[in-house]
Amino acid sequence: MKMFKRSTKISAVALMICAFMFSANSFAQKTVKIEGHDNMKFSVEKITAKPGEKITVELTTKSKLPAVAMSHNFVLLDQGVDARDFAMAGSKHKDHDYIDPAKEDEVIAHTDMASGGETVKVTFTAPKKSGDYEYICTFPGHFVSGMKGTLTVQ
Ligand code: CU
């Protein structure tokens, strides 16, 4: 009888530990801090994530230039999207953060534009399908200057 009581206690503790680990895991959040500089490059060009993982991207623009000359955003594109076409189409949509409204379904997640000293963020769920996903800055001229990176889901 004594033995039985003891093992019940142990399994209750084990259950609590499991519950705690499970809840800690579901609240675990990956935050990726990226800086955008005047050289028109992201300071982080590779991000990895597990399928369905929750990620927050924080983008800070480090620049002394005015917003009209130097702003950055983070735009994660779906697989198979031509990033060059996407950036070109977006350049005509200044009032829409340089994202073509007609192409919004090609975007998995994006931040607002951040000018010098500003930080913008977006939280999203990594795609379920593993593979590479391209992210770009849609400020005119930045993608062609190499302002891009890859999110690898694996
Ligand atoms: Cu940019």
Side-chain angles (χ1 to χ4, degrees), residues 38-41 45 84 139-148:
D38 289 346
N39 66 355
M40 294 172 280
K41 298 271 191 296
E45 294 179 331
R84 184 175 292 264
F139 194 90
H142 288 199
F143 169 74
V144 290
S145 304
M147 197 155 189
K148 59 184 176 174

Side-chain angles (χ1 to χ4, degrees), residues 73-77 86 99 107 109-111 134-138:
N73 64 356
F74 168 94
V75 181
L76 178 63
L77 300 174
F86 187 92
I99 294 170
V107 176
H110 73 89
T111 65
E134 204 166 3
Y135 59 88
I136 67 170
C137 169
T138 60

